[in-house]
Amino acid sequence: MRTRPPRTHARRSALAAAVAAAATVAVLALPQQAGAAESSPVGFGAGTTGGGSASAVTVSTLSAFKSAVAGSTAKVVKVSGTIPLSGQVDIGANTTVLGVGSSSGFTGGGLRLKNVGNVVLRNLNISKAVGTDAITVQGSTKVWIDHNSLSSDRDHGKDYYDGLLDITHASDYVTVSWNTFKDHYKGSLAGHSDSNASEDTGHLRVTYHHNWFNNVNSRIPSLRFGTGHFYDNYVVGADTAVHSRMGAQMLVENNVFRSTKVAVTTNRDSETDGYANLRGNDLGGATTEISQSGSFTSPPYGYSAEAASSVASSVTAGAGAGKI
């Protein structure tokens, strides 16, 4: 009878490495669960790291928060509980702001990123920012806004609150993913004015994916001059959703629209129309107003768009604070 030679240390190491490699391949082959949080942004905001691996500091008061987010050194700031605001707090460069648990964040005001780079905002509840935006991104690059819950109410006039998320003044390379936008008139504006072409042209590259817009009247989003990729989003109860204007290029892909009047328009409100290409969407009876299709059909980054048939279930299960 043949006897098996004893396993040497080298053979055992080789076997262990082979098993580990096979396990890694198996894990990589598994599909991502619906709503599973990415560890880094997909889309135009790819490469945004915020505070990276800096030691986190946890704050629960406005004064501590303002101090913690100031400056441009790498920092991770965790917000515990709900902090009342009036107006906005400026966030410094190279910052991650992360809500603790499912209900931490801000009410009454919002956050502003002005002329900064490399900022991550995640897992925050921001509600009822009176007279201002819940989040303003102004003149800033490399931004990731992920798994936040942004809301107000529609009991007041449309200008009582401003936008839930406005991206302006040549901001660039932004990803907006897995957020909820709820009970609001003006959802997300990218490019604030028809007369700002000299500053905005060549910028305002924004990806929106897996967001849930629920009872938001319009600007889902409204984009001027820039390049927008809007995929795998769930829109419910809008008057006018995606609005491409002033020569903006939009790719609108595999989204679901329900109880929405106009899903996509390129020819409203501005003197110059925008461009839009549509593919794989479930319009749910909504109309479209496409005066011109554009040249933006292939985003310059890797991504995987799930079919529209599964978008509503994955987005409602996975979007918003408390889902990471």
Side-chain angles (χ1 to χ4, degrees):
M1 182 176 70
R2 294 176 60 191
T3 58
R4 185 165 53 187
R7 291 178 178 173
T8 64
H9 176 73
R11 289 185 66 206
R12 288 196 299 269
S13 297
L15 179 60
V19 171
T24 299
V25 170
V27 170
L28 291 175
L30 291 174
Q32 185 182 32
Q33 294 181 351
E38 295 93 351
S39 58
S40 58
V42 174
F44 281 118
T48 305
T49 59
S53 60
S55 298
V57 58
T58 301
V59 301
S60 58
T61 65
L62 179 56
S63 60
F65 177 70
K66 287 181 175 180
S67 177
V69 298
S72 60
T73 58
K75 51 199 171 296
V76 176
V77 181
K78 293 185 175 182
V79 176
S80 180
T82 300
I83 298 177
L85 294 182
S86 178
Q88 291 184 306
V89 175
D90 285 323
I91 309 299
N94 304 309
T95 302
T96 296
V97 181
L98 180 67
V100 175
S102 61
S103 58
S104 294
F106 306 93
T107 189
L111 307 179
R112 184 173 70 165
L113 284 56
K114 184 176 182 181
N115 301 327
V116 295
N118 194 32
V119 176
V120 175
L121 305 178
R122 300 189 82 189
N123 205 47
L124 297 167
N125 293 271
I126 306 179
S127 64
K128 298 184 177 180
V130 178
T132 189
D133 302 325
I135 299 174
T136 298
V137 181
Q138 186 179 86
S140 297
T141 60
K142 288 293 183 183
V143 175
W144 186 24
I145 297 169
D146 178 71
H147 277 95
N148 302 290
S149 296
L150 310 178
S151 67
S152 62
D153 60 56
R154 293 179 61 175
D155 300 331
H156 303 81
K158 66 178 183 178
D159 296 321
Y160 183 77
Y161 306 105
D162 204 346
L164 287 177
L165 168 60
D166 282 6
I167 303 166
T168 64
H169 290 284
S171 291
D172 217 353
Y173 298 111
V174 179
T175 289
V176 181
S177 56
W178 295 103
N179 303 282
T180 60
F181 296 77
K182 186 176 180 182
D183 298 336
H184 200 77
Y185 279 100
K186 300 176 288 187
S188 184
L189 179 69
H192 68 288
S193 170
D194 286 2
S195 62
N196 207 50
S198 60
E199 183 181 26
D200 287 341
T201 300
H203 304 286
L204 296 175
R205 283 166 279 210
V206 186
T207 301
Y208 294 80
H209 73 86
H210 292 95
N211 301 286
W212 183 6
F213 296 86
N214 188 8
N215 193 33
V216 176
N217 185 70
S218 62
R219 300 183 183 180
I220 306 174
S222 175
L223 175 64
R224 294 177 172 95
F225 304 113
T227 302
H229 188 194
F230 189 80
Y231 76 92
D232 286 344
N233 299 283
Y234 185 39
V235 180
V236 182
D239 186 23
T240 303
V242 179
H243 187 181
S244 180
R245 56 208 290 196
M246 296 305 297
Q249 295 276 350
M250 290 283 292
L251 174 58
V252 183
E253 178 180 17
N254 292 20
N255 303 283
V256 175
F257 300 87
R258 293 290 182 265
S259 303
T260 294
K261 294 179 182 178
V262 180
V264 185
T265 182
T266 62
N267 59 1
R268 291 191 177 208
D269 302 329
S270 292
E271 62 182 21
T272 302
D273 290 1
Y275 299 85
N277 284 300
L278 279 62
R279 64 184 181 221
N281 299 287
D282 178 352
L283 298 178
T287 62
T288 61
E289 303 169 347
I290 310 299
S291 58
Q292 48 192 10
S293 58
S295 59
F296 180 49
T297 59
S298 181
Y301 48 77
Y303 71 104
S304 180
E306 64 178 299
S309 58
S310 62
V311 164
S313 60
S314 63
V315 170
T316 54
K323 304 295 180 64
I324 62 174

